[in-house]
Amino acid sequence: MRTYIIYALLAAFFASLVPIFGKLGLRDVNSTLATAVRAVIMAVFLVGVAIATGVTREPLEGRSLFFIALSGIAGALSWLFYFMAVKGGRVPAVVAVDKTSVAIAIFLSWLILGSKMDFKTAVGALLVVAGAILVAL
């Protein structure tokens, strides 16, 4: 199995724990505060990993830094709204609707990055959206 598939599966597994732990933790906490605390914990953890693996010596500047910053802002907004939704809604519905991001990312990667968009990919993305709608209802 290719390494990136293993990483993607691990990402999916750990992402699946976020709404579960989040719902348990959000019971009596403001979702914005919870998102901020989560972000600080993630930042400290990831800086520790970067230091431990020695990647902090690599340069990061210019265009790369700009797009990584935009990615960080988009991720922060995603978490903020995600935790608001998890606090107020049913976890299965929130998770399903959130995963429509898969279809949106496929479309945006075609539009912005020039990724391949064939019939199979388009139908798969539409099925993700259809499945999300079914779970959300």
Side-chain angles (χ1 to χ4, degrees):
M1 188 176 297
R2 295 180 186 227
T3 305
Y4 75 90
I5 297 293
I6 294 169
Y7 290 154
L9 288 170
L10 288 169
F13 171 74
F14 286 110
S16 75
L17 296 176
V18 172
I20 306 305
F21 294 150
K23 187 71 170 182
L24 293 170
L26 285 167
R27 200 163 277 147
D28 299 315
V29 177
N30 177 281
S31 61
T32 301
L33 175 61
T35 304
V37 169
R38 177 179 182 242
V40 169
I41 291 167
M42 288 178 61
V44 169
F45 177 80
L46 292 171
V47 167
V49 170
I51 291 169
T53 58
V55 297
T56 54
R57 289 172 273 204
E58 295 179 16
L60 183 61
E61 53 193 39
R63 181 180 163 94
S64 294
L65 183 57
F66 173 73
F67 283 111
I68 290 169
L70 287 179
S71 174
I73 291 168
L77 289 168
S78 172
W79 299 341
L80 185 65
F81 292 120
Y82 185 79
F83 264 37
M84 287 176 177
V86 165
K87 180 171 176 101
R90 293 181 318 109
V91 168
V94 171
V95 170
V97 171
D98 177 66
K99 293 310 168 201
T100 62
S101 64
V102 170
I104 296 167
I106 289 168
F107 173 73
L108 291 175
S109 72
W110 169 73
L111 186 68
I112 297 168
L113 303 175
S115 296
K116 178 180 162 188
M117 176 67 77
D118 56 15
F119 180 75
K120 178 180 70 171
T121 303
V123 169
L126 290 173
L127 288 173
V128 168
V129 173
I133 291 169
L134 289 174
V135 172
L137 297 176

